[in-house]
Amino acid sequence: MFKSSTLAIPEVGPVPRHIAIIMDGNGRWARKRHLPRVAGHRKGAEAVRATVRGCAERGVEYLTLFAFSSENWRRPADEVSFLMDLFVNALEQEVAKLHENDIRFRVIGALERFEPRIQALIRDAEALTRDNARLTLTVAANYGGRWDLMQAVKRMLAERPGSAQSFTEHDLGRYLAMNDAPEPDLFIRTGGEQRISNFLLWQLAYTELYFTDTLWPDFDAGALELAIQSYRRRERRFGRTSEQLHEKLAGRPLVSGTG
Ligand code: IPE
Ligand code: IPE
Ligand code: MG
């Protein structure tokens, strides 16, 4: 398990190790073209392929995509069912390609709400790709940040009932859905809204946030590059002062409590 950014200061490089994306704006992309919303979702799936490729080529190690939130069940039934079909198609048709490209595939979220057939496809895809090392692609489906925190607390207390008074951040972190990945370095939300929409609430504590008006179906290699360039200009202080960071770069030891 990776140390949390509040317990130890992470190493920071020019390429984000972990990028997390809220892929938003499919419906508006379609509406602009007088197409049904679902046409935007279909086009959005192409943007997923380009982004996975772009991240693998740049040496990003973890890519986490918000595909369906725990609140997206509130949408019209026909849109929900179209999104489920798109998910099934992607699982059936893309997983072999991911495997060929040494990409590990994972799904996080309350999967029990999905049809058994979808759950089986997910299990098979995860098993097939589990030892791949180039990039870990995690899809958040029926995922919510609050669900994640709640399920982690419940599982921890069920396994370790005595820990209610004494558990640490590190103990709880082991039960969170993303426990095998470092916290995201860069968060991207397309589609112009500036909110988290119940995505990774715990893990985004020190993530750099990037919002773009580009609608998800239009997000391509150039748009990914702009996001990474913006990330490179950020100063990640994790609570320290800018002066401390410059001293560290000059090779002097950093005086700090942890990390
Ligand atoms: C994001 O695009 C895809 C999902 C939430 C599944 P939207 O469908 O939210 O598109 P907008 O926000 O209505 O444009
Ligand atoms: C967030 O987008 C969820 C996904 C992209 C899967 P939404 O479009 O559902 O978010 P809100 O409703 O605008 O906050
Ligand atoms: Mg939206």
Side-chain angles (χ1 to χ4, degrees), residues 11-256:
E11 283 296 321
V12 170
V15 176
R17 283 186 81 185
H18 183 175
I19 299 181
I21 308 184
I22 296 188
M23 310 183 287
D24 196 21
N26 294 352
R28 279 163 286 162
W29 182 92
R31 197 169 59 213
K32 271 184 19 190
R33 288 164 180 74
H34 309 286
L35 295 169
R37 289 179 55 83
V38 296
H41 297 317
R42 200 178 289 120
K43 185 76 181 165
E46 288 175 31
V48 170
R49 280 182 216 110
T51 302
V52 172
R53 201 176 314 120
C55 285
E57 283 167 2
R58 282 173 176 78
V60 172
E61 293 169 59
Y62 297 85
L63 172 64
T64 303
L65 300 175
F66 204 5
F68 193 86
S69 77
S70 35
E71 290 70 53
N72 285 145
W73 298 103
R74 297 169 178 167
R75 293 191 177 200
D78 56 349
E79 180 169 342
V80 170
S81 102
F82 183 91
L83 286 167
M84 293 301 141
D85 290 346
L86 203 60
F87 193 30
V88 169
N89 279 347
L91 287 165
E92 284 174 348
Q93 285 165 30
E94 310 284 344
V95 170
K97 257 178 278 170
L98 294 176
H99 188 47
E100 274 168 34
N101 286 291
D102 198 18
I103 295 171
R104 184 161 75 113
F105 178 75
R106 295 212 50 216
V107 180
I108 56 169
L111 302 186
E112 62 277 5
R113 178 128 184 219
F114 292 113
E115 284 172 27
R117 163 178 87 115
I118 300 185
Q119 294 184 40
L121 283 167
I122 291 170
R123 269 197 305 274
D124 291 350
E126 289 184 336
L128 176 71
T129 63
R130 62 178 298 155
D131 296 324
N132 294 344
R134 186 170 182 200
L135 168 75
T136 296
L137 168 64
T138 303
V139 169
N142 193 21
Y143 178 87
R146 290 189 180 175
W147 162 82
D148 195 7
L149 284 163
M150 293 299 294
Q151 67 81 25
V153 170
K154 284 181 200 160
R155 286 201 297 135
M156 184 187 68
L157 292 180
E159 279 181 29
R160 314 167 35 163
S163 68
Q165 301 299 323
S166 61
F167 73 91
T168 64
E169 207 183 283
H170 184 74
D171 296 331
L172 183 64
R174 291 179 43 214
Y175 293 90
L176 291 167
M178 294 288 294
N179 68 0
D180 63 340
E183 292 169 27
D185 299 293
L186 173 62
F187 160 96
I188 299 172
R189 182 172 185 144
T190 62
E193 311 292 356
Q194 303 197 355
R195 55 176 170 255
I196 303 290
S197 298
N198 197 17
F199 196 23
L200 303 160
L201 298 179
W202 173 279
Q203 297 84 348
L204 294 176
Y206 270 107
T207 302
E208 296 298 328
L209 307 180
Y210 176 83
F211 297 95
T212 172
D213 289 336
T214 302
L215 302 171
W216 177 251
D218 292 326
F219 194 84
D220 58 10
L224 177 65
E225 185 54 37
L226 285 179
I228 293 176
Q229 278 174 19
S230 167
Y231 173 79
R232 288 210 176 107
R233 292 192 295 270
R234 311 287 178 93
E235 185 176 69
R236 304 193 68 194
R237 292 193 287 275
F238 298 100
R240 297 164 295 176
T241 68
S242 191
E243 289 74 13
Q244 286 175 297
L245 284 175
H246 289 113
E247 278 173 27
K248 191 184 181 201
L249 287 176
R252 280 186 285 277
L254 182 67
V255 184
S256 75

